[in-house]
Amino acid sequence: MAVPLKVLFVEDRPSDAELMLYELRQAGFAPVWSRVDTEHDFRLALDSPPEVILADYTLPQFNVFHALEIVRGQGLDIPFIIVTGTIGEEVAVECIKQGADDYLLKDRLARLGSAVRQALEAKQAQVERRKAEETRVQLIREQAARAAAEAAQQRLAFLSEASAILTSSLDYQAMLQRLAHLAAPYLADCCIIDIIQDDGTIRRMAIAHADPEWKDVADNLHRHPPRPDSDDPIAKVLRTGEPELVSVIPEHRIEKQGNGSDEEAHVLYALHPTSYLILPLTVRGQTIGAISLILTTTSRQHSPVTVALTEELARRSATAVDNARLYEQSQEAIRLRDEFLASISHDLKNPLGAIKGQAQLLQRRVKREYLSAAERLVKGLATIDSLATKMTAQIDELLDLAGLQAGQHLELHRQPTDLVALAQRVAEECQQITEQVGLRVEVMVPELVGNWDQVRLARVLSNLFENAIKYSPHETTVTVVVKEEERAGNTWAIVEVRDQGIGIPESELTRIFERFYRASNAAGHRKGTGLGLASSRQIVEQHGGTITVYSRTGEGSTFTVHLPIILTPGVETALLTPSAEHPSTAPD
Ligand code: ADP
């Protein structure tokens, strides 16, 4: 059975086309054909593309190269065979280069059938190869898309698990530890999370290594966070707030592991990293910590995708830590407020009870109206007066404390005040609270008069005396020394309060003057508010003076107040800045 074949002749001689048709039929084809010899007709014929094009090389009005260009330009895959009378070797090669599938001479037309068949088969094979290639590319694309979708899915799952951890509790240490164990191995081989403490030191909150064999190294690193001013890359990120990505750590640095000095990065030398990424944890423009992701094999890299994912993780972690800290602070503030209210209402109720008692007593006496009671009446009224004065002072103190909490300045009521007499009076009042601890005042001068706010200074002294008594064991003595000193062209009044009490841990010495700060030594002792020293410092500093402390745990504490008697211009501000002469934690 003849094979139907749609043929387009590009030929100006009908007789030659006839000859070709003859050969094709001989070769078993049943040609359906058309013949063109101009570009215009050629283009028209391509509208309904043939299965094969047989083109004469030499046409008066048309050129084979041009015909090939048109076929290529239209993206048609049609076998194109050049059939010509004469053609040189070079021209033939050029024709093939330009896309012709074959060429033959008109006096060798007997080959036409097999040439067409071969060209058709070659085209068919080419089409199949292309189809197979397209299918392969399509498969690869689908696989890549599936892998990308799976990876995106995993990232989403990771983030949602991280979010669940970050919102699971307000204990942020436990929360960060769980997070580190999620991040290693998902994002890196090791994950470290550090947080900056209130005092500026770095606290290592969490470290997780995917390989349990590294547990000892990880534990060691957990115990040794970097110093804030060290060369450690984590310390650097915490200082600058800038992320750091080191993609490749040079071989010689990895080999140096274990030999690095303390100053050199712990992370670099202890974990044998091949690369690391450190991102700051930032909230409200402040760096509060850092998350470090360390890789220990060259087969893994911090890709842009994991960097972006870690950035998101860092953002969420920072917010969670911030929330947990704010919650902690608010709880602490509530606790302190309640403690403060309990303590202050206790202090106010005592004199109030006594006032009531005195008033009732006097009422009864007045009712009985016998004259011998006049003397006692006067005494009772004097007690009421003094108790009312005490309560007024306590209420004033309450107002000052409220102002201190709001960061306000005190309005001082300066008047000539004798510090010697004041210290003696306040000491007497404080001694009334207890007989277990003795309070001795040593005065080096008969009087020390300055232009001070008497009520406020009395409060400073009673804070210091009461603290000394409160934090001292029974049968010990508190010594108060009042003296005068000439220094730097000024005369200073000095009150030194020395106790033999429990002392204050060195690490907390700078903090005891902060509002609400109660040192760890206060636990188990009489209740307090943590406001006494803060308020004392404010009063003394507003007088242009200083208050300092020297203490050793178990040996006792000495608080020293310096007050200028004659102020020269400029001295007030100079005193407010701690200097070598007036360190805040050591006596002069
Ligand atoms: P508080 O009401 O707790 O006494 P303060 O502001 O007066 O508050 O003192 C702050 C902290 O300083 C106290 O909680 C205590 O830890 C410590 N402190 C103050 N004075 C002494 C002292 N003389 N001896 C030991 N610790 C003291």
Side-chain angles (χ1 to χ4, degrees), residues 467-468 470-471 499 502-504 512 517-519 521-522 528-533 557 559:
N467 273 352
K470 186 161 69 172
Y471 298 109
D499 65 50
I502 56 174
I504 303 160
I512 57 172
Y517 192 81
R518 306 200 70 214
N521 66 354
T529 56
L531 281 167
L533 287 180
S557 315
F559 284 84

Side-chain angles (χ1 to χ4, degrees), residues 112-353:
L112 182 66
S114 62
V116 167
R117 192 163 283 118
Q118 263 175 18
L120 282 171
E121 280 168 6
K123 270 295 167 222
Q124 184 59 27
Q126 197 182 12
V127 167
E128 271 161 22
R129 263 201 313 279
R130 194 172 302 143
K131 262 195 198 145
E133 182 60 19
E134 274 166 11
T135 314
R136 200 175 69 87
V137 168
Q138 182 61 20
L139 260 173
I140 291 172
R141 276 209 193 105
E142 276 170 16
Q143 271 170 1
R146 236 191 334 269
E150 270 169 25
Q153 191 63 37
Q154 276 177 12
R155 284 197 296 277
L156 268 182
F158 171 80
L159 269 186
S160 96
E161 200 171 336
S163 290
I165 290 174
L166 290 170
T167 49
S168 64
S169 126
L170 284 162
D171 170 358
Y172 67 92
Q173 169 147 34
M175 173 174 98
L176 293 178
Q177 266 163 3
R178 285 179 61 199
L179 192 71
H181 282 282
L182 182 70
Y186 184 75
L187 289 172
D189 299 309
C190 181
C191 171
I192 300 177
I193 304 176
D194 295 285
I195 295 288
I196 303 176
Q197 300 292 99
D198 288 344
D199 61 3
T201 55
I202 298 169
R203 179 155 169 224
R204 184 138 288 167
M205 304 300 289
I207 178 163
H209 202 297
D211 184 348
E213 287 200 5
W214 284 80
K215 187 177 177 309
D216 288 348
V217 178
D219 286 349
N220 192 35
L221 284 173
H222 203 170
R223 283 191 297 273
H224 296 100
R227 283 208 331 265
D229 58 349
S230 68
D231 285 349
D232 189 294
I234 295 177
K236 214 174 93 201
V237 169
L238 289 172
R239 273 199 305 275
T240 61
E242 294 295 327
E244 177 153 314
L245 171 62
V246 175
S247 308
V248 182
I249 296 176
E251 200 67 27
H252 67 273
R253 296 200 74 172
I254 304 174
E255 279 164 11
K256 239 175 104 188
Q257 289 146 6
N259 303 330
S261 72
D262 280 354
E263 272 314 282
E264 283 181 295
H266 286 293
V267 169
L268 279 180
Y269 293 94
L271 286 170
H272 298 203
T274 51
S275 90
Y276 62 81
L277 167 69
I278 307 168
L279 287 178
L281 303 182
T282 312
V283 267
R284 286 173 272 126
Q286 250 200 324
T287 304
I288 60 162
I291 179 163
S292 312
L293 293 174
I294 295 128
L295 297 179
T296 55
T297 53
T298 42
S299 59
R300 273 181 105 175
Q301 284 288 323
H302 288 298
S303 71
V305 174
T306 55
V307 172
L309 188 61
T310 315
E311 277 169 353
E312 182 56 32
L313 186 69
R315 251 191 305 279
R316 294 184 188 198
S317 308
T319 310
V321 170
D322 192 41
N323 284 344
R325 276 183 163 186
L326 288 176
Y327 176 76
E328 233 175 57
Q329 281 166 10
S330 68
Q331 289 302 100
E332 180 63 2
I334 290 170
R335 192 188 63 73
L336 285 167
R337 189 204 57 195
D338 292 348
E339 207 174 89
F340 176 72
L341 286 178
S343 163
I344 209 79
S345 57
H346 174 264
D347 286 356
L348 287 174
K349 267 189 202 153
N350 265 353
L352 210 58

Side-chain angles (χ1 to χ4, degrees), residues 339 463-464 466-472 497 499 501-505 508 511-514 516-523 526-536 549 551 556-559:
E339 207 174 89
N463 272 336
L464 295 179
E466 280 174 13
N467 273 352
I469 292 170
K470 186 161 69 172
Y471 298 109
S472 288
V497 184
D499 65 50
I502 56 174
I504 303 160
E508 295 179 276
R511 301 206 58 196
I512 57 172
F513 294 99
E514 288 172 16
F516 296 117
Y517 192 81
R518 306 200 70 214
S520 50
N521 66 354
R526 208 180 91 93
K527 282 198 179 309
T529 56
L531 281 167
L533 287 180
S535 133
S536 299
V549 59
S551 185
S557 315
T558 302
F559 284 84

Side-chain angles (χ1 to χ4, degrees), residues 68 72 78-80 94-102 123:
L68 278 166
R72 249 199 342 259
I78 305 167
F80 194 112
E94 189 54 32
C95 290
I96 299 293
K97 267 193 196 161
Q98 293 302 319
D101 294 86
D102 204 350
K123 270 295 167 222

